[in-house]
Structure formats: C-alpha cells, structure tokens
C-alpha cells in the first residue's frame, strides 16, 4: 500500500485531526470512513470526474475513486461548456453535493459499510491514475495522465528540502485550487503523507484566510495572489513557508512578499506534465533555479531544457520548450523564455516573448503579454500593464496614441511584422486560479462588446470589494427612446450591468434570484462620469451595489442576490482601443 493510503488507514492515527473546514476538525478515522462509504457505491473501472470546492470532499472522492479501482478525471473548471468539451472522457461526475448525497444515503447502511471496510486495501500506487486537462497554447483541453506513484515520488524528493523549515503542528493553508497538479500535491497528498493538517475551505482571496493564519503555517499561493497582497498581512502571524507556482514571480513581487511575510517565497518550477522540476528564492535579479534532488538537466540543440527524474518519465528524458542556460558546475539554470511562443505574421516568424521583453524594457510598461487575439485575425495584439509614467501618458494622449508610442518602442528592435496593432491597457493581467494566463482570458479582452455594455475605463479591487469606472455613450441602444430628448439609463440595464460585472469579478452566477433595498435617487445620463461600487458576499451569494458620481452623489443602490452560483474566472478591465481607430465597446 502507498504511504498516502497507509496514513489514511492508520488505526493509531484515527483520532488525529487531518483537516479543518468551517473551523471544524475532521479526523483521519472520519475521512477513512467516508472514503469507504463513497467507494462502496462506485463501480470498478469507471472514469469519474471530480470537481469539489471543499478540499475535504475532494480528498474523499479522489481516494474513493482510487480505492474502487477507477480513474479520477480532474477538470480545470466545472463550467458547463467546459464539461461538455470533455464529457466523452468520464462516466460519472462527483461534486460537493454528490459527495454529501452519497454519504447521507449510505450513513444508515451497515452492510455497505462492512463491505467497504473489508475492501479498503488500495490498489498499487502505479494503478491509481488522475487525468488533468491543460489547454496549452491551442486552447483545446489536452489530457495529462499522472499516477499516485509519480506524485509520491516527487513528494519524497521534496520533503527533505522543507521538513527542517516547517515546524511541528504547522498547517497547510491553501489559496489555490486542488484541481490542478500543484494544488493537489501540496493541499491534498502532501498533508496526508506528512500527517499535517490542511485547511479545506475554498479561499482564493487573502481576506478569506487573513484572520485564520497561525504562526508557522505553510501558505500555498500563486503569483497572482502574491502580486495582490492584503495590507493587513503585514500584521498577521508569520508563516514558515510561502509556496508559489504557476509562473515565475517578478523580483519586485518576491521582494515585497518577503517584506510582508518575513520569509522569501519559495517558487516551484514545473508543469502539469512534469510536476516539480526546480525551486528558487529570489534575492536578486536572475536568481537561478535549483533542480530538485536527483533530477538531471541538460539542453537540446535549440537551447531548450531537458529533464530526467523518476517522478517525471523514469529513466527517459523529458523535453521542455523552455529556453535556458545551465551552470555546469552547480546544475542550476536560468530560464530565458519559451521557444514555442512563435507565431507567423505576414509570413514571418515572430517571437511573442521577444516583443514582450522589448516592451518591458520601456519605462512606460510594467508587464505585457503578446498574442494573436483571434484565430482569424493575424494582427499582433498586446495586453499591457502600464507604469505610473505610462498611465500619465495614457490619460494625456488616449489609447490610440499610446499604442502608437509603444509600437515605436518595439520598432527599435523588430521589423514591421512584429509591431503590435491591437492594444489593451489593464490594471493587472487576467489570470486563472493558478496564476497562469490562459489564452481564452486574454482573448476575451479583445472580443466585441454588445451595444448595451459600457466601457470599463478604471477598476480597483480588494477581495470582495470593487470600484469600477464606467464610460457611457449617448448612442448606446439602452439610451434610445428612453426618453426622447432627455436620455436616461433604465434601471433594468443598471441591474444587468451589476450582474454582468459581478459575475466576471467574483465568480457568481449571472442569474438574478432576488433584488432588494432598491433605490433610484438620481437619473444616470450619458454625460455622467459614473462609478459602480460592489461589495460581494460569497456565502449567500449576493452583492450590494451603488452607482454614484461626483456631480450627483448616489444615483442608485440596492442588493442583488444570485441563483445557481458557479465559479468564474477573473477578467481584467478593458480601457483601450485598437490603434486602427476601432474602439472596443
């Protein structure tokens, strides 16, 4: 039996707490019993999709699927459209409600329990499979198979690196999803194998864990979260480790996180295909990556990193598309960008990474991502985060001239084909829960808006609170005929915008179940410089809203309660135009 299952079914530890959910401790014996309940109701050889918000229910489902001799399918999201794309990959779908229903159904079935307990000897760890889906650069979900044996092997080589740092009794506090390989390892498998308590509540924002952090905890985070630290974290108890994966941190973020937490973040470099490859703690620019113990590295003829380790491909070499340089004495390496981020524009091969690097060298740009915004549109596009100087230029000259100005920066290094023609200027780059920048989120910034949607020209957010600046146009459909000669914004449109924007920001459903405390005080006209304040409560879920302007004060306010909540990805605001003059609404 694997270490994972040995610890779950260790009678001596049956009364040891394994996880905390809503402040309630769940013991090893509780979890093992629930695994047996669920496993008893599963058929051998099934393909079972698991998507749970609760890490406790996820652990129960995953172990039960493996216990029954079935394969676990781990979708990246539970969005209906996404599940439809991969529905041929699974026979059964388990979520939080389905797990609870099975536990409640079986709670008074002694015969079923006895049968499950008798069969609670796990398969070999090499037979326990989990299938992840990664979109890569194409956007099409691609299945990646990992075995429990591979995950246990990786933890076995990482554990000696960190065990002296993590104090006894430390908890694994997760802010990332366990549906991805990084979260699965550190939020689920690692705590079970090392007998550490983990937090089971979903907590993608700092304000959800801020008052629960204890001294010595291990924080499992992403680059997106470390770039948006809550100001009160500086006064919170100090963690023993801050883990980050999903993409490299920039030096400024690493240094600020070190100041706030009192410990430098430990970055894990790897992928869904490989698992962990290397680690680093940035203390200076170009801090190299240290390969995990017993992991070998070299470069192919194109200067791309190759790795060999037991948990990746056994004795075989795995070829990455990451360009790198290796210190032959130490084996440490520095990454130099992706070799596969090359597109053809006007028949010429353009390196997207090179365009991004040229833009970051400008004192106008803090960060940037280059892409083709549409498969049928071969114009090069850029999503850029501007510096303070850059934002001053944007305010002074507008998005059209700003795009032209940045084109000239790229033109210092590149031919005409590599000069971006479409621009979006945002406060922060859109990321998923792992801190990655999926192509579909970036492309969403360039999608055409309907004629009843405002342009979001400014946005700030702190956890569940947000302030959005809106640009209104007199030619918008919602102003036509309401009223002739004196257009005002209809109340139903105001509610539609609240639902639409809240869905994008906070992950709530767009469907409105109830509206209360609704007050309309001053009409909103096309000339008003309107701001929308949102205060989201995920437990209901509901959002309090307030439209206001400097001229008229509060225009309207109220509370919108949503129905059928579902997780949505954050999309950064759009406040720019195409340099060709076609403004995106």
């Amino acid at each position: 039996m694997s270490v994972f299952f040995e610890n779950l079914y260790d009678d001596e530890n049956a009364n040891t707490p394994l996880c905390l959910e809503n402040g309630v401790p769940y013991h090893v014996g509780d979890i093992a019993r629930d695994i047996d309940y669920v496993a008893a109701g599963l058929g051998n050889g099934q393909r079972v999709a698991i998507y749970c918000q609760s890490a406790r229910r996820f652990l129960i489902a995953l172990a039960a699927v493996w216990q029954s001799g079935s394969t676990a399918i781990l979708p990246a999201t539970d969005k209906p459209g996404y599940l439809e794309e991969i529905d041929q990959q699974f026979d059964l779908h388990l979520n939080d409600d389905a797990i609870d229903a099975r536990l409640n159904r079986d709670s008074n079935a002694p015969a079923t329990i006895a049968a499950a307990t008798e069969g609670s000897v796990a398969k070999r760890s090499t037979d326990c499979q989990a299938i992840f889906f990664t979109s890569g650069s194409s956007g099409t979900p691609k299945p990646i198979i990992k075995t429990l044996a591979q995950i246990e092997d990786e933890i076995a080589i990482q554990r000696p690196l960190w065990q002296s740092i993590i104090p006894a009794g430390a908890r694994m506090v997760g802010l990332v999803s366990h549906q991805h390989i990084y979260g699965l390892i550190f939020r689920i498998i690692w705590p079970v194998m090392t007998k550490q308590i983990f937090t089971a509540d979903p907590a993608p924002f700092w304000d959800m864990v801020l008052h629960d952090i204890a001294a010595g905890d291990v924080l499992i985070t992403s680059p997106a979260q470390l770039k948006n630290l809550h100001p009160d974290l500086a006064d919170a108890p100090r963690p023993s480790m801050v883990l980050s994966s999903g993409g490299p941190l920039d030096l400024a973020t690493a240094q600020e996180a070190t100041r706030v937490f009192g410990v430098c973040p430990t970055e894990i470099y790897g992928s869904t295909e490989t698992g962990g490859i290397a680690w680093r703690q940035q203390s200076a620019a170009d801090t190299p990556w240290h390969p995990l113990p017993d992991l070998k590295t070299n470069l192919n003829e194109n200067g791309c990193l190759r790795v060999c380790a037991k948990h990746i491909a056994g004795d075989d070499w795995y070829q990455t598309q990451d360009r790198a340089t290796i210190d032959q004495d130490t084996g440490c390496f520095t990454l130099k960008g992706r070799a596969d981020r090359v597109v053809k524009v006007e028949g010429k091969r353009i390196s997207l990474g090179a365009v991004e690097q040229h833009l970051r060298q400008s004192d106008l740009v803090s960060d940037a991502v280059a892409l083709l915004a549409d498969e049928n549109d071969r114009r090069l596009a850029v999503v850029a985060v501007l510096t303070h100087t850059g934002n001053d230029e944007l305010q002074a000259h507008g998005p059209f001239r700003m795009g032209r100005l940045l084109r000239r920066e790229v033109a210092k290094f590149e031919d005409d084909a590599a000069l971006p023609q479409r621009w979006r200027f945002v406060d922060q780059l859109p990321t998923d829960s792992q801190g990655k920048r999926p192509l579909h989120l970036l492309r969403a910034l360039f999608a055409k808006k309907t004629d009843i949607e405002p342009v979001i020209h400014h946005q700030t957010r702190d956890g569940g609170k947000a302030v959005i600046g809106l640009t209104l146009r007199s030619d918008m459909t919602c102003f036509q005929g309401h009223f002739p000669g004196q257009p005002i914004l209809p109340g139903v449109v105001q509610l539609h915008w609240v639902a639409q924007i809240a869905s994008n920001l906070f992950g709530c459903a767009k469907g409105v179940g109830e509206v209360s405390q609704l007050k309309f005080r001053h009409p909103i006209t096309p000339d008003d410089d309107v701001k929308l304040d949102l205060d989201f409560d995920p437990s209901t879920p509901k959002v309090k809203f307030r439209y206001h302007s400097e001229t008229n004060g509060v225009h309207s306010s109220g509370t919108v309660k949503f129905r059928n909540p579902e997780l949505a990805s954050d999309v950064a605001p759009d406040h720019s135009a195409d340099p060709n003059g076609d403004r995106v609404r």
Side-chain angles (χ1 to χ4, degrees):
M1 187 184 294
S2 71
V3 175
F4 174 76
F5 277 103
E6 282 180 352
N7 287 355
L8 284 173
Y9 288 98
D10 184 353
D11 291 338
E12 293 183 2
N13 290 316
N15 294 320
T16 301
L18 179 57
C19 71
L20 290 171
E21 187 168 27
N22 295 321
V24 177
Y26 288 82
H27 298 80
V28 172
D30 301 329
I31 300 295
R33 180 200 62 204
D34 289 344
I35 291 169
D36 288 340
Y37 280 142
V38 176
L42 298 175
N44 183 280
Q46 289 192 96
R47 299 170 301 168
V48 184
I50 305 170
Y51 194 96
C52 295
Q53 299 294 330
S54 161
R56 176 182 63 86
R57 295 185 183 92
F58 177 88
L59 168 59
I60 292 167
L62 179 67
V65 166
W66 284 340
Q67 191 72 270
S68 69
S70 296
T71 297
I73 308 295
L74 305 183
T77 177
D78 62 348
K79 290 289 188 182
Y82 181 89
L83 292 177
E84 287 177 8
E85 277 192 284
I86 64 170
D87 63 0
Q88 297 301 313
Q89 303 283 347
F90 59 87
D91 309 305
L92 174 68
H93 181 209
L94 295 179
N95 57 18
D96 297 271
D97 292 339
I99 297 300
D100 283 344
R102 286 172 179 266
L103 293 175
N104 292 334
R105 181 193 65 194
D106 292 340
S107 60
N108 297 313
T112 302
I113 298 170
T117 304
E118 291 173 4
S120 63
V121 177
K123 303 286 185 180
R124 292 180 304 172
S125 58
T126 51
D127 295 331
C128 297
Q129 292 188 343
I131 300 180
F132 298 85
F133 289 87
T134 179
S135 60
S137 58
S138 67
T140 301
K142 171 187 173 184
I144 305 295
I145 300 175
K146 303 291 288 188
T147 66
L148 176 59
Q150 289 175 297
I151 295 173
E152 289 189 333
D153 286 340
E154 177 178 345
I155 292 175
I157 65 173
Q158 285 208 49
R159 187 174 180 180
L161 293 174
W162 322 128
Q163 62 184 2
S164 63
I165 301 173
I166 304 173
R171 305 173 309 166
M172 309 295 284
V173 179
L175 286 91
V176 300
S177 171
H178 44 255
Q179 297 289 145
H180 303 270
I181 184 67
Y182 165 57
L184 172 67
I185 289 175
F186 286 103
R187 290 197 64 188
I188 306 293
I189 310 297
W190 179 291
V192 172
M193 289 182 62
T194 60
K195 300 181 180 179
Q196 287 178 255
I197 296 176
F198 66 91
T199 57
D201 302 292
F205 305 118
W206 286 112
D207 52 2
M208 295 180 175
V209 299
L210 180 60
H211 302 294
D212 190 43
I213 298 174
D217 282 347
V218 178
L219 304 183
I220 307 162
T221 70
S222 71
Q225 289 154 341
L226 293 179
K227 286 184 177 181
N228 294 278
L229 296 175
H230 195 286
D232 292 343
L233 283 169
D235 299 322
R238 294 300 174 95
S240 59
M241 284 191 72
V242 177
L243 288 167
S244 177
S245 191
L249 293 176
D250 59 80
L251 179 59
T253 298
Q255 291 176 331
E256 176 63 10
T258 302
R259 184 191 69 80
V260 170
F261 293 114
V263 59
C264 185
T266 299
E267 299 176 66
I268 306 295
Y269 159 64
S271 67
T272 304
E273 292 87 345
T274 63
I277 291 175
W279 66 275
R280 72 174 179 179
Q281 291 180 311
Q282 287 194 77
S283 56
D286 294 325
T287 298
W289 294 90
H290 301 266
L292 295 178
D294 300 324
L295 184 143
K296 295 181 286 187
T297 63
N298 65 28
L299 303 177
N300 69 3
E301 63 276 7
N302 296 319
C304 291
L305 187 69
R306 300 172 69 218
V307 294
C308 181
K310 182 180 179 181
H311 70 279
I312 298 178
D315 295 329
D316 295 331
W317 287 88
Y318 181 87
Q319 180 65 62
T320 78
Q321 294 300 313
D322 293 319
R323 294 182 295 108
T325 57
I326 297 178
D327 184 320
Q328 297 302 323
D329 294 329
T330 65
C332 296
F333 58 87
T334 302
L335 296 175
K336 299 296 183 181
R338 296 280 294 181
D340 57 354
R341 295 193 66 234
V342 175
V343 297
K344 278 196 172 183
V345 178
E346 298 176 5
K348 296 183 179 180
R349 290 171 59 86
I350 305 300
S351 168
L352 299 179
V355 173
E356 294 163 359
Q357 183 178 359
H358 301 325
L359 287 168
R360 293 190 194 106
Q361 291 174 353
S362 166
D363 63 356
L364 301 174
V365 176
S366 171
D367 202 356
V369 175
L371 69 152
L372 294 178
D374 190 300
E375 290 295 337
N376 300 316
D377 186 344
R378 306 307 292 179
R379 291 177 297 169
L380 194 61
V382 166
V383 182
V385 179
L386 300 178
T387 62
H388 290 301
T389 303
N391 274 313
D392 290 342
E393 290 288 338
L394 178 64
Q395 296 300 319
H397 302 294
F400 177 83
R401 291 185 179 179
M402 190 68 196
R404 292 292 178 182
L405 181 61
L406 293 179
R407 275 169 60 92
R408 289 198 290 270
E409 293 293 316
V410 180
K412 296 175 182 177
F413 308 93
E414 301 284 350
D415 293 334
D416 288 351
L419 303 185
Q421 298 185 55
R422 306 185 68 186
W423 298 86
R424 295 294 180 268
F425 302 112
V426 298
D427 293 329
Q428 64 182 49
L429 296 173
T431 58
D432 61 16
S433 60
Q434 294 302 106
K436 296 183 179 181
R437 301 164 180 173
L439 187 61
H440 72 277
L441 289 186
L442 295 166
R443 284 181 166 175
L445 298 177
F446 296 87
K448 292 183 177 180
K449 313 294 184 190
T450 67
D451 201 32
I452 64 168
E453 295 180 3
V455 170
I456 297 175
H457 63 76
H458 177 73
Q459 173 180 290
T460 59
R461 174 179 172 183
D462 182 3
K465 298 180 184 294
V467 179
I468 300 97
L470 305 176
T471 297
L472 311 181
R473 310 183 319 276
S474 59
D475 62 345
M476 296 174 71
T477 302
C478 52
F479 284 119
Q480 305 306 310
H482 191 86
F483 295 94
Q486 191 177 2
I488 63 173
L489 185 66
V492 66
V493 175
Q494 296 180 40
L495 293 174
H496 168 75
W497 289 352
V498 169
Q500 183 80 25
I501 295 172
S503 175
N504 288 338
L505 281 178
F506 306 122
C508 50
K510 295 178 183 177
V512 176
E514 179 184 329
V515 179
S516 61
Q517 299 176 317
L518 186 60
K519 296 180 180 179
F520 293 102
R521 299 174 180 173
H522 297 284
I524 297 177
T525 71
D527 298 324
D528 291 318
D529 183 10
V530 177
K531 290 183 174 62
L532 172 60
D533 293 354
L534 298 177
D535 187 353
F536 180 62
D537 177 2
S539 64
T540 313
K542 65 182 179 182
V543 64
K544 294 180 180 179
F545 72 89
R546 183 173 69 111
Y547 287 93
H548 60 99
S549 65
E550 291 186 4
T551 304
N552 294 303
V554 177
H555 290 268
S556 60
S557 61
T559 299
V560 173
K561 185 175 181 180
F562 300 94
R563 62 173 183 267
N564 299 324
E566 60 184 62
L567 185 65
S569 298
D570 289 347
V571 177
D574 175 359
H575 29 108
S576 73
D578 287 344
N580 62 10
D582 180 19
R583 288 186 176 271
V584 175
R585 303 301 188 185

